[in-house]
Amino acid sequence: MSERTEIEIETEREPVTAPEIEAEAKREPASGWRGWASTVAVVLLLGLALAALAVVGGRSLPERIGPPVEEIAVEQVRMSPGRIDLTVRNAGPDPVQVAQVFVNDAFVDVRGGEEPIGPRRSTVLTLDYPWQEGQPYLVSMLTSTGLVVEHEIGAAVETPTGGRDLFAVMALLGTYVGIVPVVLGMLLLPVLRRIGKGGIRFLLAVTVGLLIFLAVDAVFEGFELGDRSAGAFGGVSLLALGAILAFLALTFVDRWLHHRTDGAGGRGGGRLALMIAIGIGLHNLGEGLAIGSAYALGELALGAALVIGFALHNTTEGLAIVSPLLAAQRPGVPRLLGLGLIAGASAILGAVLGAGVNNAELSLLLLGLGIGAIAQVVVQIAPALRTTDDRATGTVAAMDATAILGVAVGVAAMYATGLLVLA
């Protein structure tokens, strides 16, 4: 007698009846609701425990001993005839009282700051002082405990007042350094279509080099800005926060676009070009913010040299956007213009914000957004730069010499054109 197979054993089992199926269907929602209810109960219990710990623990700890910790920083300086307005923020844990202010060792009358400045609070100190344009000044603030905090004004210049004229200048400047150069770089698409697959890989590698340079440059700029900021809201930590949020947000957008298009076009088509445009757009937002802030502080000389320098520098960004489109179908003009606006129009918004707001924390956050977006785009392009030793098995090798050379060319191009930017 032969052994019975598993199929024969399965056929001997009693069939599941309709009532049993209905009973099982009724049991599943009940178990699901019980699971959600238990989860909510645990979260509420955890919240109550943390609240009780904060109340009881805070009251049971003794008061801090030792001298007060006073940390104040100047966030903004606005110069007007016979007047200097300082926006100062308390970055320490204790209240700070500004008792006296000196400019170049001369006592000056101060309005504002009569009350102590609370932790993370800010106030405006108005100094009556007949400053002269182009002269350096050292502002010394003496606190009630005798601490002296100094702020140096390298060259005094009247701060531009807000209005339509200022915003019109910033919009024009943002167009010159953002939209126009990116669109000019995208005009090279018909010429680049004549190259083969090796040339496409080389240009994608150049794109990676361009983006790496932009990200590294933004990191160094963020560290420098973080050293000058008050640090009340994290300082350089805002740079990391912005980078993480942008990376996760663009990852979500990429997955959403992938599912919406059902995977059409892969990583090398219009979807990748859109992601590159978004990443460069976030970077140009921070770049425009820096331009507007420099102009508001009188540190930016407008002229043909600035426009030409930024035009050559940002034209390479347009090249980076169209590189993934070389192997795809010919995109229409509206689509190319849309990509150019996504990448370049943010410079207008950044310049307007920089001239009107001039906040170090906002600048750090926007710089971080650009860094995270660029990092996410580089992660997407990187697989296209690798070669396979065996297509049947899909064995992946490292980048070849062409890809490495392309990355180096991209970094060198951004460095060389960046020297022309006199900002």
Side-chain angles (χ1 to χ4, degrees):
M1 183 177 179
S2 60
E3 297 181 356
R4 295 184 302 171
T5 63
E6 293 182 1
I7 298 178
E8 293 174 346
I9 296 175
E10 290 291 337
T11 56
E12 292 180 1
R13 294 179 178 176
E14 295 181 359
V16 181
T17 61
E20 293 177 350
I21 296 176
E22 294 178 359
E24 184 67 23
K26 292 179 180 179
R27 283 196 298 269
E28 288 181 357
S31 62
W33 282 109
R34 285 196 296 269
W36 279 108
S38 61
T39 302
V40 172
V42 171
V43 172
L44 291 177
L45 181 61
L46 180 61
L48 291 174
L50 291 176
L53 179 63
V55 174
V56 176
R59 293 178 178 178
S60 62
L61 293 176
E63 294 292 335
R64 182 175 59 84
I65 60 176
V69 179
E70 297 180 331
E71 297 179 7
I72 59 175
V74 178
E75 287 190 334
Q76 188 177 17
V77 179
R78 300 190 67 86
M79 312 285 293
S80 56
R83 171 177 168 178
I84 303 176
D85 292 326
L86 301 177
T87 301
V88 297
R89 183 176 297 276
N90 180 7
D94 298 321
V96 177
Q97 175 71 58
V98 178
Q100 295 179 342
V101 179
F102 301 86
V103 177
N104 286 357
D105 296 330
F107 174 76
V108 296
D109 294 331
V110 183
R111 297 192 305 274
E114 290 81 5
E115 299 295 330
I117 308 172
R120 293 182 176 82
R121 299 288 183 176
S122 64
T123 189
V124 178
L125 304 178
T126 301
L127 315 180
D128 294 325
Y129 186 80
W131 57 271
Q132 297 181 3
E133 185 172 359
Q135 296 298 317
Y137 293 97
L138 179 64
V139 180
S140 302
M141 292 169 285
L142 179 66
T143 68
S144 58
T145 61
L147 177 68
V148 178
V149 179
E150 296 181 340
H151 179 76
E152 183 179 357
I153 301 175
V157 62
E158 185 174 356
T159 303
T161 57
R164 287 184 294 180
D165 293 339
L166 175 62
F167 292 150
V169 171
M170 291 298 99
L172 189 62
L173 182 59
T175 303
Y176 285 159
V177 305
I179 298 177
V180 174
V182 172
V183 173
L184 288 176
M186 297 175 67
L187 293 178
L188 296 174
L189 179 60
V191 178
L192 300 177
R193 282 190 175 277
R194 300 178 182 178
I195 62 178
K197 293 183 178 180
I200 293 175
R201 289 186 64 251
F202 177 78
L203 286 179
L204 287 176
V206 172
T207 299
V208 171
L210 299 176
L211 296 175
I212 289 176
F213 184 90
L214 290 177
V216 173
D217 184 62
V219 169
F220 283 116
E221 185 177 350
F223 284 145
E224 181 180 354
L225 184 61
D227 293 337
R228 300 199 305 265
S229 66
F233 300 101
V236 181
S237 300
L238 288 171
L239 191 73
L241 175 64
I244 294 173
L245 291 179
F247 188 90
L248 295 177
L250 259 72
T251 302
F252 171 79
V253 171
D254 176 63
R255 297 295 184 268
W256 179 76
L257 291 175
H258 177 73
H259 290 299
R260 185 180 179 184
T261 57
D262 229 5
R267 292 184 177 269
R271 182 164 59 95
L272 183 54
L274 176 60
M275 301 303 293
I276 294 176
I278 294 175
I280 291 178
L282 290 176
H283 169 78
N284 285 338
L285 180 63
E287 192 173 79
L289 192 73
I291 294 173
S293 300
Y295 178 77
L297 295 176
E299 298 175 354
L300 181 66
L302 302 182
L306 175 71
V307 174
I308 293 175
F310 267 110
L312 293 176
H313 185 62
N314 291 348
T315 297
T316 53
E317 297 177 355
L319 177 65
I321 295 173
V322 298
S323 295
L325 300 175
L326 297 177
Q329 296 180 353
R330 295 181 180 273
V333 174
R335 185 178 184 182
L336 292 177
L337 290 177
L339 292 174
L341 289 175
I342 292 174
S346 57
I348 300 176
L349 177 61
V352 172
L353 286 176
V357 179
N358 188 24
N359 184 273
E361 281 75 18
L362 178 61
S363 301
L364 282 169
L365 182 62
L366 293 180
L367 282 173
L369 292 178
I371 294 170
I374 290 174
Q376 208 281 336
V377 173
V378 170
V379 169
Q380 289 195 43
I381 302 178
L385 305 182
R386 300 173 182 172
T387 57
T388 55
D389 295 333
D390 188 354
R391 294 185 179 180
T393 60
T395 303
V396 179
M399 291 191 303
D400 58 7
T402 302
I404 295 176
L405 178 62
V407 173
V409 169
V411 173
M414 289 301 288
Y415 173 77
T417 55
L419 295 177
L420 301 175
V421 180
L422 304 177

